[in-house]
Amino acid sequence: MTRPGTFNILARDGAARHGTLETAHGTVRTPVFMPVGTQATVKSLDPRDLHDIRAQIVLGNTYHLYMRPGDELVARLGGLHGFAAWDRPVLTDSGGYQVFSLAGLREITETGVTFRSHIDGSPHLFTPEKAVQIQQNLGSDIMMVLDECVAYGTEYDYTAKSLELTTRWAARCRDEHPIGQNGRLLFGIVQGGFYEDLRTISAQQLMEIPFEGFAIGGLSVGESPDEMRRLLAHTAPILPDDKPRYLMGVGTPMDILDGVALGVDMFDCVLPTRNARNGTLFTSFGKINIKQARFKEDDSPLDPECDCYACRTFSRAYLRHLYMARELLSYRLNTLHNLRFYLKMMEEVREAIGQGAFEALRARYRAAYEQSEQ
Ligand SMILES: Nc1nc2c(CCc3ccccc3)c3nc[nH]c3cc2c(=O)[nH]1
Ligand SMILES: [Zn+2]
C-alpha cells in the first residue's frame, strides 16, 4: 500500500488538478466531494447506499461524537469504521467550528476553548491536544487541527490575534500527532478572516509546520459568493502545490466548480443533505423543488441524466407524493439523489481535467445553474 499522505497530481487543466490522496483506508481521487455524516451517519443512508452512489470518503464530527456517544466508547467499539461499518476513509473536523457555532457560553484562552454542551449544558474544555486525541479515538484518517473560525465581519485586530493563536494551536496538534503516526493524516487550517494580508500571514505560518494537507477555513460563514471567491482566489495559490487543498463548508455546485478552477481539491457541504429535507433537488437542468404542483402527475424520472436509484425507479409524481405526505422515504430518496448529483459532478470534473475540458464542463453547469439563483 502506498504510504498514507502521498498526494499524486495526475493531470492539470489551468489551476485545476486531478490527483490521488493515499489514506490508511484507501485512495481518494480528487477533486472530491465529501458527504457530511456528523453523528456517524449520513442522515437516512446506510453504508450500502454510500457505496452505491460511489462516495469515496465521509465526514464525521469531533464535537458531536465527543458529546454523544463519547469518543472513548467509539474507540472501544472499533472507531468510526467499526462502529458505523464504514470501510473507506473518514475525515473529522476538530470541533472548533462546531463549538463556535453550536455550543453556548464559550471562552477562548491560550489553553483552549471552554464551552457548555448543547445537549445538557455541562462544562467542557477542548485543548488542541484533546481535539487530536478525540479524532485519534474516532479512528479518523484525516484529522483537522483545532482552530478558531472567526465570525464573518470580525474586525482586523481581533482576526490578526486569532490567527496567531490558531497557528500556535496547530503546532500543538502536530506535536500531539507526529507526522506519519499510524498512517493518519493531519491538516492545518488557514484563517485570517476576509483580510488578504492576514490570510497570507496565516498560510505562511502554517506552512512552516509539516502538515499532509491544508484546509482553507473561515469561509462559507455567511459572506457573499463574490467575497468567498475573492479570498479563495487569494489564498489557494499560496498553499503548497504538492499538497491537497481543502475548502471547508463549500458549497453549491457552482461554488465547487469555481473552487476546482482555483486549485482546490477537497470539498464538504451540508447543502445536498439539508436541501433534501426541504425538497430542493439538484438536477442537470438546475435546482427544482419537488413540492411544486407541476410535478403532481409528472410520470417522468426526476433527472433523465441521473443514474441514482431514485431517478431509475420512481417518477416525479411519486417523489412529490412522498414529500407532501412527509414520508420517511422522501428524505431518503431525495438525499440519495442530491448526493449522487454532487458525486457524479465530481466524477465528471476528474474526467474533464484529465481531458483538458474542465472549462467546458464548468460552462455547461453554469448554463443550468445561472438562472436558478441558487
Ligand atoms: N474547523 C473548521 N471547520 C469549519 C467548517 C466545518 C466543516 C466540517 C468538517 C467536517 C464535518 C462537518 C463540518 C465550516 N463549514 C463552513 N465553513 C466552515 C469553516 C470551518 C473552519 O474555519 N474551521
Ligand atoms: Zn437521481
Side-chain angles (χ1 to χ4, degrees):
M1 176 181 76
T2 315
R3 183 178 55 75
T6 305
F7 181 56
N8 291 315
I9 295 179
L10 304 176
R12 293 175 189 268
D13 189 343
R17 308 106 69 81
H18 163 42
T20 55
L21 173 62
E22 301 301 330
T23 78
H25 280 88
T27 306
V28 177
R29 295 178 304 289
T30 63
V32 60
F33 177 77
M34 306 180 283
V36 183
T38 297
Q39 303 193 100
T41 160
V42 175
K43 295 188 186 330
S44 81
L45 302 188
D46 67 31
R48 297 166 303 177
D49 297 322
L50 292 169
H51 284 158
D52 288 350
I53 61 176
R54 295 205 282 286
Q56 298 187 76
I57 174 172
V58 299
L59 299 187
N61 221 307
T62 291
Y63 171 80
H64 293 79
L65 294 166
Y66 161 81
M67 283 297 163
R68 181 179 53 195
D71 56 293
E72 286 168 8
L73 179 149
V74 174
R76 287 195 300 277
L77 299 181
L80 279 176
H81 294 91
F83 191 50
W86 175 249
D87 56 358
R88 294 178 179 175
V90 168
L91 181 149
T92 49
D93 199 5
S94 54
Y97 179 81
Q98 291 71 28
V99 166
F100 301 134
S101 54
L102 256 183
L105 292 177
R106 57 179 177 74
E107 192 203 356
I108 300 171
T109 66
E110 189 67 36
T111 310
V113 53
T114 50
F115 59 95
R116 287 192 178 282
S117 159
H118 75 291
I119 296 170
D120 62 13
S122 53
H124 297 266
L125 164 67
F126 268 5
T127 62
E129 294 79 10
K130 178 74 176 165
V132 167
Q133 288 154 13
I134 295 169
Q135 295 177 84
Q136 290 169 332
N137 281 340
L138 298 175
S140 177
D141 294 286
I142 304 176
M143 300 180 282
M144 305 308 294
V145 298
L146 183 68
D147 61 328
E148 181 183 11
C149 172
V150 295
Y152 176 56
T154 301
E155 45 88 34
Y156 187 91
D157 291 349
Y158 184 90
T159 305
K161 279 199 176 33
S162 170
L163 79 86
E164 302 283 347
L165 178 64
T166 286
T167 301
R168 292 194 296 275
W169 282 0
R172 286 168 53 187
C173 289
R174 181 82 279 175
D175 291 345
E176 185 65 22
H177 187 86
I179 198 151
Q181 185 173 295
N182 86 336
R184 269 44 180 202
L185 314 181
L186 180 66
F187 281 19
I189 304 178
V190 178
Q191 292 294 343
F194 291 81
Y195 306 101
E196 277 86 345
D197 59 335
L198 297 185
R199 286 279 169 179
T200 302
I201 293 167
S202 177
Q204 286 174 340
Q205 289 180 353
L206 288 172
M207 291 191 290
E208 311 259 314
I209 305 167
F211 290 115
E212 288 93 341
F214 292 87
I216 298 169
L219 298 181
S220 187
V221 290
E223 75 278 8
S224 70
D226 285 346
E227 279 194 292
M228 194 270 284
R229 268 191 291 275
R230 174 171 65 88
L231 269 299
L232 182 59
H234 173 79
T235 310
I238 301 172
L239 296 172
D241 178 67
D242 63 346
K243 296 269 177 29
R245 299 165 183 150
Y246 165 24
L247 177 53
M248 305 188 91
V250 172
T252 67
M254 284 319 300
D255 289 341
I256 289 175
L257 295 172
D258 291 343
V260 170
L262 291 167
V264 177
D265 308 294
M266 300 165 72
F267 302 86
D268 85 85
C269 189
V270 293
L271 212 52
T273 40
R274 186 171 292 172
N275 275 5
R277 208 171 20 245
N278 61 44
T280 302
L281 303 176
F282 295 94
T283 74
S284 52
F285 45 90
K287 219 167 57 170
I288 62 149
N289 198 298
I290 196 62
K291 63 189 166 204
Q292 289 168 346
R294 62 187 169 119
F295 299 123
K296 193 172 165 56
E297 303 199 21
D298 186 339
D299 194 25
S300 57
L302 170 61
D303 184 351
E305 307 287 310
C306 180
D307 59 3
C308 88
Y309 173 64
C311 292
R312 295 195 317 265
T313 316
F314 306 104
S315 66
R316 290 167 178 176
Y318 182 66
L319 294 176
R320 180 178 182 278
H321 159 66
L322 292 179
Y323 181 83
M324 303 311 278
R326 289 289 179 275
E327 276 293 341
L328 286 175
L329 185 58
S330 171
Y331 188 58
R332 189 166 138 67
L333 294 176
N334 290 356
T335 301
L336 267 177
H337 168 77
N338 274 354
L339 281 180
R340 181 61 197 147
F341 177 84
Y342 269 68
L343 294 166
K344 183 163 163 289
M345 180 178 81
M346 302 316 282
E347 289 169 6
E348 293 168 0
V349 163
R350 297 191 289 266
E351 170 74 22
I353 293 171
Q355 314 284 337
F358 174 71
E359 282 310 325
L361 180 77
R362 180 157 68 142
R364 176 156 68 80
Y365 275 88
R366 186 176 290 115
Y369 277 84
E370 203 97 78
Q371 86 253 358
S372 72
E373 96 284 343
Q374 63 97 27

